[in-house]
Structures are given as C-alpha cells and as structure tokens.
Amino acid sequence: MAGLNWPGLLAWSTKYHDGTSPSEFKQMSEEDRRFLEKAMEIAMSQIEDPNKVLVEAREQIVSESRTDESISTALEVIDRCCDDPDVARNAEKLDILQPLLDLLGTHRGSVAIRTMEILALFFSNNPNIQEAGMKRGTLELLGQLTKDSPQASEERSKAFRALVALVRNVQDYELQLLKRDGVEQLLLCLHLEELLGTREKATSFVRSLAENESLPAETVPSLAPAVMAQFQKLEDAGLQFKETLASCAQAFASHFKAELPAEFTAVVEGRVADLQKASDPEAETELSILKGAMEALKA
C-alpha cells in the first residue's frame, strides 16, 4: 500500500503561516484543529504499516527543502504513529530519534515544543529508547533547554517533561541527572512563579526519586523547602497535584526525617489543620496521606 499523501496533509498548514517569518504560525481555531485531526485520522486509517509512515515522516524532517509547515505536519504524523507501541520501540532502529534532537538545535517556538512532546512520548516507560537518548547526549540537551527557557514558559515545561521521561525509573540515569545539575533544574521548576503543571511535574518527580531511593540525602536540605513552598500556592491546584504534594511530603518524612528542616513538620501540621477545618470530602485522600506523613515525622 502506498504511503501517506504528504502534499495533501501539508496543504492544511500553509494557511497558518503569515509569510513574514519562518517560525511564526497563526493559532489554529478549534474548528480547524478538529478538521486537521479528522484529516489525519482518515489518512492514518489507510496505512497498514505505521513504521513505514514514521520513516516517511523522518524524510520530511531531514529534507533539504523542508519548511516549518512540513516539519510541523511530520511531527503530527509521528504523534499519531506513537499510538502503536511498536513505533515507539522502533524509534532508534528507524533513526527518528536523532533528527528530532537536531530540531531542538535549529528551531524554537511551536516546532521545538511539539518536538519535545514527542520525545517525551518516545522516552516514557521505554528503556531501550531511554538508553539511546542517553547515548545521544539528550540529558545535557534537555537539561540546558530547561535552564535556558524563560520562566513560566511552555518551552521550559516541555523540556522538563521530556527530561523526566528520559531518566524516570532508571536509577542510573536519575543519579546522573542529579549529579550533573538536576537539583538546579528541579528548583527552577518548583519555583512558585512557574506554570502549575510544571510545578506538579517537578513535585511528582521528587516524590518518585524519594520513594525509589534515587534521591541522595544531601539534596534534601535544598529540595525540601521548595517542596514545602508548594503548600503556599494551591488555590488553583487540582486534587491530583494536592495528593501528589502530600505523597511527596510523606516520602520525605519516611526516608529523610533527619535531613528535613525544622519547619517541615509545622508546614504539614498547618495543612492538616486547614483540611480538617474545611471538612471537604474530596480532600479525604490528601488528608489521610498527610496524617501518614505526620506519623512518620513523630516516629
């Protein structure tokens, strides 16, 4: 069966480019976004081998005649291909990983953001691709992008999410990150002026490191205050973030009681008191977790 009709898929993107700058795209309306998704769904339904489509997408990305439009379209196709687990596992074999990493050296804005989203998909719970990414210097690349991106930007959020996906649940990689400058990156992403989603991701990662015994004790005096500070700014947070934060506090209390600053207990006690006063049934899980943290602190 023939591959994708690339000229047809490329047609949608030209109307979102204003013709003045190669990297400035107009925002798609929700109606146009649905149209694109439907067109992509129809195109992909005619494909028997998504691995072949991934190779075609790679060719679009590395083509000498590539444009921001063709790259963006290729990235959308790659995202669709990732619905097939085999595609993500074959990313290195099909030589798609390096072209994506190269895009982060040549592009910023929407192309870079979409590229980092796709890298996170490839790395997530995929040890073979995590290994390939580490060998290709992705730790340094994404770490630098996390630090260099503006505060509270989508660029920092996506860079950090891809970085976490690269190392998560592989202790050797997690330790490499922390020994390099991972604590600095975590502190940046835990800053209260960061995007809520970025702070939640950073809190979740710290919790995971603590629970999996990948967090060196010497990092706790730096990270614990930044985690504690999250309790000050939960007005827009959802239940998941609140419960993640509570679990992080419990992990600190269970594994690093000796390294915690004295005020840690007071912060947890204050949150418990607030929740008990509010008597919100939806907060019962968070309250239970925090009570467990208090028990660990007093043990």
Side-chain angles (χ1 to χ4, degrees):
M1 180 176 288
L4 283 182
N5 175 15
W6 284 97
L9 286 176
L10 284 169
W12 71 268
S13 61
T14 56
K15 66 177 178 177
Y16 301 107
H17 192 277
D18 66 8
T20 61
S21 172
S23 59
E24 293 180 1
F25 283 86
K26 298 176 182 177
Q27 184 70 34
M28 276 193 292
S29 68
E30 185 59 31
E31 181 181 359
D32 288 327
R33 171 71 66 181
R34 289 195 298 268
F35 177 83
L36 169 61
E37 290 175 351
K38 184 64 176 178
M40 196 76 69
E41 180 181 345
I42 294 172
M44 295 299 294
S45 70
Q46 300 170 359
I47 298 300
E48 292 180 350
D49 185 0
N51 289 294
K52 179 181 178 181
V53 176
L54 192 68
V55 172
E56 293 177 356
R58 178 194 180 280
E59 292 171 355
Q60 292 287 330
I61 290 173
V62 302
S63 171
E64 292 184 0
S65 60
R66 71 184 185 181
T67 63
D68 279 7
E69 295 97 321
S70 66
I71 292 171
S72 296
T73 303
L75 292 173
E76 294 301 323
V77 169
I78 292 170
D79 185 25
R80 283 303 182 106
C81 288
C82 287
D83 291 341
D84 186 324
D86 284 338
V87 170
R89 287 193 290 266
N90 291 334
E92 176 67 358
K93 184 189 302 182
L94 298 175
D95 194 24
I96 188 62
L97 194 57
Q98 190 60 53
L100 291 175
L101 296 175
D102 290 342
L103 284 178
L104 299 181
T106 59
H107 288 71
R108 290 292 180 267
S110 60
V111 170
I113 288 170
R114 198 71 179 99
T115 299
M116 290 186 286
E117 289 176 341
I118 291 169
L119 285 170
L121 286 175
F122 279 137
F123 292 138
S124 184
N125 301 312
N126 196 343
N128 290 336
I129 305 305
Q130 288 174 278
E131 180 182 6
M134 292 294 289
K135 289 179 178 178
R136 291 181 179 274
T138 310
L139 183 69
E140 294 78 8
L141 175 62
L142 292 174
Q144 197 63 48
L145 286 170
T146 299
K147 290 194 295 184
D148 291 346
S149 297
Q151 186 179 70
S153 65
E154 280 294 308
E155 288 87 348
R156 173 171 287 177
S157 178
K158 301 305 183 183
F160 181 69
R161 287 172 183 272
L163 181 63
V164 171
L166 172 67
V167 303
R168 195 162 197 164
N169 294 327
V170 182
Q171 189 175 61
D172 180 46
Y173 301 162
E174 293 173 338
L175 291 174
Q176 285 187 50
L177 170 62
L178 292 172
K179 288 177 181 178
R180 189 175 181 272
D181 49 10
V183 173
E184 178 185 353
Q185 291 156 16
L186 282 166
L187 292 175
L188 284 174
C189 293
L190 287 166
H191 194 285
L192 293 183
E193 296 305 313
E194 269 302 332
L195 297 176
L196 181 63
T198 304
R199 292 192 287 122
E200 181 175 355
K201 173 59 71 172
T203 301
S204 174
F205 187 45
V206 173
R207 177 197 63 183
S208 175
L209 292 170
E211 291 177 345
N212 296 336
E213 301 182 353
S214 293
L215 191 67
E218 61 268 23
T219 67
V220 174
S222 297
L223 290 172
V227 171
M228 289 163 40
Q230 304 307 309
F231 285 108
Q232 303 172 20
K233 198 172 181 180
L234 290 176
E235 59 272 13
D236 295 323
L239 284 176
Q240 180 173 306
F241 186 13
K242 294 174 182 177
E243 291 171 8
T244 296
L245 179 57
S247 296
C248 190
Q250 184 178 41
F252 272 140
S254 299
H255 298 286
F256 299 104
K257 184 167 64 173
E259 288 77 20
L260 293 173
E263 58 269 26
F264 189 91
T265 299
V267 171
V268 176
E269 286 178 336
R271 180 63 179 170
V272 168
D274 289 344
L275 292 174
Q276 289 176 328
K277 183 177 180 180
S279 297
D280 183 356
E282 292 189 348
E284 289 181 359
T285 298
E286 180 193 358
L287 179 59
S288 175
I289 296 169
L290 289 173
K291 286 181 175 179
M294 289 302 305
E295 291 176 4
L297 288 167
K298 294 177 179 179

